[in-house]
Amino acid sequence: MRRLVQIITARRTAWAVALVGFLLAGVVIGLLGAAERSASPTDTLPAGFDSTLGALLQQQLPDDDASTAIVLFTTDNGPIAQQLDALTQLVKTSAPAGTAADSIRLIPSEDGTAAIAVLSITSSSSTDDAAAITTLRAALENGAPDGVTPQVTGPAAIQADLSAVFDGADFTLLATTALVVAILLLITYRSPILWIIPLLVVGAADRLASVLATRVLKGFGIPWDESTIGILSVLVFGAGTNYALLLISRYRDELKVHEDRHEAMGLALKRAGEAIFSSAGTVFVGLLMLLLSAFPSTRGLGLACAVGVLIAAIFVLVVLPAFLSLFGRWVFWPKVPRQGQSVLADSRSLWRKIGDRVARSPKAFIGGTLVFLAACAFGISQISLGLSTQDQFLQEPEAISAASRLADSFPAGTSDPTVVVTATEDKSVIDGLRAAVKAVPGVQSIQPGAAGNGVTSFSVILQAGADTPEARTAVQNIREAVAATPDTHVTGSQAQSIDEAAASADDRLLIIPLILALVLIVLGVLLRSVLAPILLVLSVVATYAASLGVSWWIFTGIFGFSGLDSSVPLLAFLFLVALGIDYNIFLITRTLEEARTMGTRRGMLRALGATGGVITSAGILLAAVFAVLGVLPLVVLAQIGVIICIGVLLDTLLVRTVLVPAIVRVLGEKFWWPRHVGPSGDGAGESLTIERAGNERVEIP
């Protein structure tokens, strides 16, 4: 390890390490490029569930590459029946290539204000589907008579509008993230030069991570969706910059003790490297826990982000110190560190003053902090999980508004029917299934679907609107009605929503305990302690509960969301716990270092003074980076961003600054049980000297 540190930071080899790092990244990015894949309808569906099995069976149908679009015409100027012929002709001429125009017919509503036509759009990819919907909308808009409003909804249109959310999203998200990081680094370092170096290193790590992650996913046959790379970039920039802040902060301190910058960087890398490596390793393994998810796209997100964190840590631990070693102290200008200046642990910084205040009455601070966190967490009792289709967008697209308008004049389930699919073409079996489904309460009508290759399907129009209790009950009753027929499944958006909620609950019950166990094990090995890891993990869980509770009030009171997406609690827990442990490790490893000579209580105060500023800066930066997810108009990403933003701020400004130091102050050496740390036994003889107003110094036993 010592030899590796010397190679990275030595005067003769640092330039080669930095150059090779950037060259390798450039070659991989330039020659390989990100992998590509065609999306599958089952990418976001939970494996093994009824709706997913139905979707897989549908793919065996002759027109498995077809999707349904519904053209809706509405008018406020008299009955629409008078214009049916003209509107029918408009749909036939506007329909995408490959649509059977002769079979198109318009169905007027009973109230006479609307008419619909159902189109089957056949294409080779979701991109072609989106282009076909865009072309169809433009043609209908140009050809519609005065007083008639055309809109397009249905599964194909909803998917097209969802795809439109990500048009140019990667660039927008990357540019916004980089801008936020640049501004916050500039504010943190207050140097016109220094911020450029970590931004370049982390930026290169992000681009390399995007390429390698997609290549790894493709190699293992794990799918990913449009949001995967966006979240990956946010995580790489957030975690990578956090690690860079910790390393550079320690480097600045070592420059105040050592004249030679290469020696200073070597010591900084050795002392901060353990914390960074442990933090990155915890996040890496925690993210791999998502491979146990029932959702293929969630498994892809976990593996991609694990690759990203690994790349970010390597670049910060290898390329960044080598690159920084090439420059003199002048990169810190105007606040250039000089040998002989006070290091952070000895300074009377704001964080040390906060620590001194906590040390006077730690039990009061513990009680007050826990009461505050409990009050914040109260909102959890009010949380409703599950988002309807129309609630998944921050800005309502045409497909959603058209579906709402369609439900005013037609049965609510018309725009998105439930589908029964069975592995048979036996007419008697099909007739029996249709009769059984028709008898289910809440079923409005049954329409024939595709058949062939030994598979038959038909659509079921429900009376109730999507994502209502009545619709969910109807789907469950349909499943019971067809359960006796082998290889028969119920799918469609409503059935998929039910299964997604059940699979998300299973994921939470399986993965969350595993993540907690993993973090406990990592902290136990790192600290060689039993009590300290338990207390630290409990503090992170309290932060998660508080952030979830506060976010719920924000979502319902400010944004008007009807609920949390069912995937949000697990993803928010993973990112908050894994990243929150980062700050625990940064603080506690420094406390351990100081406690060996100063005792645990004094060591905690020195560690807080040394790391308080960098942890707060890192937390604010990470919170801002995850808030950037809100630039995409998807509710699920906005919810993840808000919860993590609030959680990280609570963690860095309250839990890591007040609660943990107060706990350590009360327990002293017992905090490390059963390990012995420090020169003063159980800490009974330790005393603290703190400052009050007017520079009065007070010793606390």
Side-chain angles (χ1 to χ4, degrees):
M1 183 65 183
R2 181 181 300 177
R3 179 58 179 164
L4 179 61
V5 170
Q6 289 177 345
I7 293 173
I8 294 172
T9 61
R11 191 183 307 274
R12 294 181 179 180
T13 55
W15 66 270
V17 173
L19 181 62
V20 169
F22 279 108
L23 283 179
L24 282 176
V27 169
V28 173
I29 295 169
L31 294 183
L32 283 182
E36 297 181 358
R37 66 178 295 273
S38 297
S40 167
T42 58
D43 284 350
T44 58
L45 302 181
F49 280 73
D50 188 56
S51 60
T52 307
L53 297 175
L56 290 171
L57 202 54
Q58 279 184 296
Q59 293 181 1
Q60 300 179 28
L61 291 166
D63 60 346
D64 67 290
D65 56 351
S67 55
T68 301
I70 299 176
V71 177
L72 170 68
F73 292 106
T74 56
T75 179
D76 297 323
N77 302 326
I80 201 168
Q82 300 174 0
Q83 305 183 69
L84 282 183
D85 291 341
L87 294 177
T88 301
Q89 187 59 37
L90 173 61
V91 175
K92 289 181 177 181
T93 58
S94 304
T99 305
D102 293 340
S103 64
I104 294 175
R105 65 187 185 92
L106 252 63
I107 304 171
S109 63
E110 292 184 0
D111 61 14
T113 65
I116 60 171
V118 180
L119 305 181
S120 181
I121 297 178
T122 303
S123 60
S124 58
S125 68
S126 58
T127 302
D128 292 339
D129 274 353
I133 294 296
T134 300
T135 302
L136 174 61
R137 284 172 171 164
L140 293 172
E141 184 69 30
N142 292 332
D146 293 340
V148 176
T149 301
Q151 292 177 292
V152 182
T153 184
I158 292 174
Q159 186 60 44
D161 288 341
L162 182 62
S163 298
V165 168
F166 293 96
D167 285 345
D170 285 348
F171 175 79
T172 301
L173 194 62
L174 178 62
T176 306
T177 303
L179 179 62
V180 168
V181 170
I183 292 173
L184 291 177
L185 285 176
L186 187 59
I187 294 172
T188 299
Y189 292 131
R190 285 169 285 181
S191 167
I193 303 166
L194 181 59
W195 64 275
I196 300 174
I197 298 174
L199 185 63
L200 283 175
V201 172
V202 176
D206 170 66
R207 292 299 85 202
L208 179 61
S210 297
V211 171
L212 292 182
T214 54
R215 291 290 173 178
V216 170
L217 289 170
K218 188 171 184 178
F220 283 99
I222 300 176
W224 67 95
D225 59 23
E226 296 91 340
S227 64
T228 302
I229 302 304
I231 296 177
L232 169 65
S233 287
V234 167
L235 183 61
V236 170
F237 266 98
T241 310
N242 273 198
Y243 302 151
L245 285 170
L246 182 66
L247 177 66
I248 293 174
S249 175
R250 193 61 187 256
Y251 176 46
R252 186 197 291 267
D253 252 10
E254 296 298 337
L255 286 173
K256 296 175 182 177
V257 179
H258 304 277
E259 180 63 32
D260 185 86
R261 68 176 187 271
H262 297 281
E263 181 184 1
M265 176 55 78
L267 289 170
L269 180 58
K270 180 181 178 181
R271 291 168 179 171
E274 180 184 13
I276 294 172
F277 180 80
S278 300
S279 299
T282 305
V283 178
F284 175 80
V285 181
L287 287 165
L288 290 182
M289 292 295 102
L290 290 183
L291 290 174
L292 300 175
S293 172
F295 296 88
S297 59
T298 301
R299 295 198 292 268
L301 176 65
L303 183 55
C305 288
V307 172
V309 166
L310 182 63
I311 298 298
I314 291 173
F315 265 66
V316 170
L317 290 173
V318 177
V319 179
L320 179 60
F323 198 18
L324 275 172
S325 297
L326 302 179
F327 302 93
R329 298 169 184 260
W330 58 268
V331 296
F332 289 91
W333 183 86
K335 291 195 171 185
V336 179
R338 302 294 182 188
Q339 189 177 17
Q341 293 178 340
S342 297
V343 297
L344 286 173
D346 294 327
S347 67
R348 301 302 304 172
S349 65
L350 170 65
W351 315 109
R352 177 58 190 265
K353 292 177 181 178
I354 292 174
D356 288 345
R357 180 68 185 88
V358 170
R360 292 192 203 116
S361 48
K363 293 181 180 179
F365 276 98
I366 292 173
T369 303
L370 291 178
V371 168
F372 176 77
L373 292 175
C376 292
F378 178 75
I380 291 179
S381 63
Q382 310 298 313
I383 287 177
S384 173
L385 289 179
L387 286 176
S388 62
T389 303
Q390 59 265 31
D391 290 334
Q392 292 179 3
F393 299 88
L394 291 174
Q395 301 171 358
E396 187 175 79
E398 179 179 315
I400 301 302
S401 59
S404 299
R405 175 60 185 88
L406 187 149
D408 293 338
S409 300
F410 293 89
T414 303
S415 63
D416 195 3
T418 296
V419 178
V420 176
V421 57
T422 182
T424 183
E425 292 183 89
D426 188 314
K427 187 176 185 304
S428 63
V429 175
I430 303 302
D431 289 343
L433 284 173
R434 290 169 61 90
V437 172
K438 180 64 176 175
V440 172
V443 172
Q444 176 71 25
S445 63
I446 296 177
Q447 298 177 351
N453 297 334
V455 178
T456 302
S457 69
F458 54 87
S459 299
V460 182
I461 308 300
L462 302 179
Q463 295 171 351
D467 299 299
T468 61
E470 295 79 8
R472 287 191 287 271
T473 299
V475 170
Q476 296 287 19
N477 289 337
I478 292 172
R479 283 178 165 166
E480 292 177 6
V482 305
T485 305
D487 295 325
T488 300
H489 306 283
V490 180
T491 187
S493 298
Q494 184 62 68
Q496 291 166 4
S497 177
I498 294 171
D499 290 346
E500 287 168 4
S504 294
D506 291 345
D507 278 358
R508 290 192 295 272
L509 289 174
L510 172 65
I511 297 175
I512 286 179
L514 288 176
I515 292 173
L516 288 176
L518 165 73
V519 172
L520 278 171
I521 292 171
V522 170
L523 285 176
V525 172
L526 177 65
L527 302 178
R528 286 179 288 163
S529 166
V530 174
L531 182 59
I534 293 174
L535 293 173
L536 295 175
V537 168
L538 287 176
S539 74
V540 174
V541 172
T543 302
Y544 167 74
S547 63
L548 201 60
V550 170
S551 298
W552 175 249
W553 298 123
I554 293 174
F555 294 151
T556 54
I558 298 178
F559 295 110
F561 296 156
S562 61
L564 285 183
D565 186 87
S566 56
S567 66
V568 166
L570 173 60
L571 295 179
F573 181 86
L574 170 64
F575 288 123
L576 268 183
V577 170
L579 296 173
I581 287 299
D582 276 2
Y583 304 129
N584 269 310
I585 291 174
F586 294 165
L587 176 64
I588 296 302
T589 53
R590 185 59 183 264
T591 300
L592 189 59
E593 179 183 332
E594 299 287 346
R596 291 190 177 103
T597 55
M598 297 286 182
T600 297
R601 291 188 172 100
R602 191 185 301 275
M604 169 55 76
L605 291 184
R606 288 177 58 83
L608 186 61
T611 65
V614 67
I615 288 177
T616 301
S617 299
I620 292 173
L621 188 145
L622 187 66
V625 166
F626 268 94
V628 169
L629 286 174
V631 304
L632 300 178
L634 277 184
V635 168
V636 60
L637 296 182
Q639 289 180 341
I640 292 173
V642 169
I643 293 172
I644 294 176
C645 177
I646 293 173
V648 169
L649 291 177
L650 282 174
D651 191 79
T652 55
L653 298 178
L654 182 63
V655 174
R656 218 57 52 220
T657 305
V658 175
L659 181 60
V660 172
I663 292 173
V664 174
R665 165 60 189 164
V666 170
L667 294 177
E669 289 294 327
K670 296 176 183 178
F671 178 75
W672 309 107
W673 183 87
R675 182 182 184 182
H676 167 69
V677 175
S680 55
D682 64 358
E686 251 184 272
S687 63
L688 300 174
T689 301
I690 62 175
E691 285 189 2
R692 285 182 175 173
N695 295 324
E696 177 187 0
R697 300 182 68 81
V698 178
E699 187 172 272
I700 299 179

